[in-house]
Amino acid sequence: MHEANIIDGRAIARTVRDEVRTKVDAWTTRGHRPPYLAVVLVGNNPASASYVRGKMRASAQAGIAGDTLTFASSLTESALLGIIDQLNADPGVDGILVQLPLPRHIRAQRILARLSPDKDVDGLHVVNAGRLATGQRGFVPCTPAGIMALIDRSGISTSGKHAVVVGRSNLVGKPLIHLLIRKGTDATVTLCHSQTRNLARICRDAEILVAAVGRPGLITQEMIRPGAVVIDVGINRVDDPSRTRGYRLVGDVDYENARAVAGWITPVPGGVGPMTIAMLLSNTFLAAQRSH
Ligand code: NDP
């Protein structure tokens, strides 16, 4: 029976992280201080705290220095703006990451807009979104950058291919279309969302199909063109009494059945997720390098 090639995000992420480590070592050997990443965590969302711990651990392994600045969920928006101002002004800080989501009383767009675009290693400032959209050098959001690295490093060509992206968030879908249509990448893109008619038909035409929705099982086997590259960005918890924690993580793609049709596929976990952290490290090194 046909089985898709598995795109091993953990292995590719390890390679990217090792490459960052090598660049950081060369950088510090030349007499520079290590790159420094400040992570701002507001509130006590356990998932956010766990993501931040993962990011800090990976940073340390890559030779990147950093701190997590943790605040109670009662922190006011103006206090957080003040903290961002301080980090922007600190020449010892190369990258700033504000872990999302923020508590409801803090407007994330206002906070992100306050970041110095040149320290915005998550690539979410409107200036970086604009730079990406107009082909200028900036910071590319980590998840879409990671998706492109998975495709490139698997030796998959994109030129002239039809790529379908499902999900139009500022975090994933929208920046990804700019990366896919860049000169040199040259895909032809369709972007789908909750109001798209005939989603199944459009997906079935995709040579590269990216699902970034947050709905388990949305992409079924029938929606996949034989041989397609399937990138599953979704991270969903589904109940699983057989696990001690009571749930397991799945993507947006019906993985087991999709494998029988796709040419390439990313698993969840172990696909796009590890790449997001790897690209954060890569962006933080770039921030340090560009500030000199
Ligand atoms: P958002 O909720 O911001 O966006 C979801 C998108 O999916 C929206 O554009 C929405 O459409 C669309 N959508 C919802 N339902 C449907 C449907 N039935 N058919 C087609 N489109 C639909 O999510 P994010 O982009 O932030 O995240 C998407 C998923 O990726 C989540 O599971 C998240 O956990 C995961 N994620 C994983 C990361 C990683 O590192 N692997 C990083 C970031 C996210 P509309 O705009 O019309 O509402």
Side-chain angles (χ1 to χ4, degrees), residues 169-182:
S169 72
N170 292 336
L171 196 61
V172 189
K174 270 190 246 166
L176 182 60
I177 63 167
H178 292 299
L179 294 171
L180 285 163
I181 62 174
R182 280 209 285 213

Side-chain angles (χ1 to χ4, degrees), residues 7 147 150-151 208-211 229-233 253 264 266 272:
I7 301 179
I147 293 168
L150 285 178
I151 294 172
I208 299 169
L209 176 61
V210 182
V229 178
V230 178
I231 308 284
D232 192 353
V233 187
V253 177
W264 298 80
T266 62
V272 176

Side-chain angles (χ1 to χ4, degrees), residues 51 143 166-173 192-196 199 211-215 218 232-236 250 252 271-277:
Y51 289 144
T143 302
V166 189
R168 58 175 160 185
S169 72
N170 292 336
L171 196 61
V172 189
C192 302
H193 46 74
S194 68
Q195 305 308 307
T196 297
L199 181 68
V213 176
R215 282 178 190 241
L218 178 78
D232 192 353
V233 187
I235 302 179
N236 308 293
V250 298
D252 293 338
V272 176
M275 292 304 290
T276 299
I277 293 190

Side-chain angles (χ1 to χ4, degrees), residues 11-281:
I12 297 174
R14 203 173 306 124
T15 304
V16 172
R17 287 161 58 167
D18 288 347
E19 287 170 9
V20 173
R21 171 91 223 192
T22 303
K23 287 186 208 163
V24 168
D25 286 347
W27 178 251
T28 50
T29 303
R30 288 203 300 276
H32 298 290
R33 62 164 175 75
Y36 183 96
L37 173 67
V39 176
V40 177
L41 176 62
V42 186
N44 48 13
N45 177 333
S48 293
S50 145
Y51 289 144
V52 166
R53 277 195 303 276
K55 288 169 185 176
M56 297 315 279
R57 203 181 312 125
S59 297
Q61 285 166 3
I64 293 171
D67 284 302
T68 305
L69 312 178
T70 308
F71 302 96
S73 55
S74 57
L75 184 77
T76 63
E77 185 178 275
S78 63
L80 183 52
L81 289 170
I83 290 156
I84 300 295
D85 288 343
Q86 280 175 19
L87 294 170
N88 283 342
D90 186 341
V93 173
D94 298 303
I96 307 169
L97 183 151
V98 179
Q99 183 65 38
L100 301 176
L102 288 166
R104 288 164 67 98
H105 64 277
I106 300 179
R107 286 164 290 182
Q109 284 304 339
R110 271 203 84 192
I111 301 302
L112 295 176
R114 193 69 157 246
L115 292 171
S116 160
D118 298 325
K119 295 190 178 187
D120 168 39
V121 285
D122 245 353
L124 298 178
H125 192 288
V126 284
V127 166
N128 282 317
R131 287 170 174 163
L132 177 59
T134 54
Q136 298 174 62
R137 192 183 84 166
F139 289 107
V140 175
C142 300
T143 302
I147 293 168
M148 294 313 299
L150 285 178
I151 294 172
D152 288 348
R153 288 169 184 257
S154 300
I156 296 165
S157 81
T158 48
S159 183
K161 288 195 179 156
H162 184 200
V164 172
V165 178
V166 189
R168 58 175 160 185
S169 72
N170 292 336
L171 196 61
V172 189
K174 270 190 246 166
L176 182 60
I177 63 167
H178 292 299
L179 294 171
L180 285 163
I181 62 174
R182 280 209 285 213
K183 275 215 187 303
T185 302
D186 299 319
T188 301
V189 173
T190 303
L191 182 59
C192 302
H193 46 74
S194 68
Q195 305 308 307
T196 297
R197 271 184 278 155
N198 299 320
L199 181 68
R201 183 171 54 72
I202 296 169
C203 289
R204 207 178 152 78
D205 190 54
E207 294 166 282
I208 299 169
L209 176 61
V210 182
V213 176
R215 282 178 190 241
L218 178 78
I219 306 295
T220 58
Q221 190 187 47
E222 299 70 44
M223 295 165 81
I224 297 170
R225 174 175 171 151
V229 178
V230 178
I231 308 284
D232 192 353
V233 187
I235 302 179
N236 308 293
R237 282 184 179 195
V238 296
D239 291 341
D240 185 347
S242 73
R243 306 278 171 109
T244 39
R245 57 186 181 182
Y247 68 88
R248 69 196 150 89
L249 294 179
V250 298
D252 293 338
V253 177
D254 174 8
Y255 182 76
E256 283 309 324
N257 291 314
R259 274 174 77 180
V261 182
W264 298 80
I265 193 164
T266 62
V268 177
V272 176
M275 292 304 290
T276 299
I277 293 190
M279 302 324 283
L280 171 68
L281 306 182

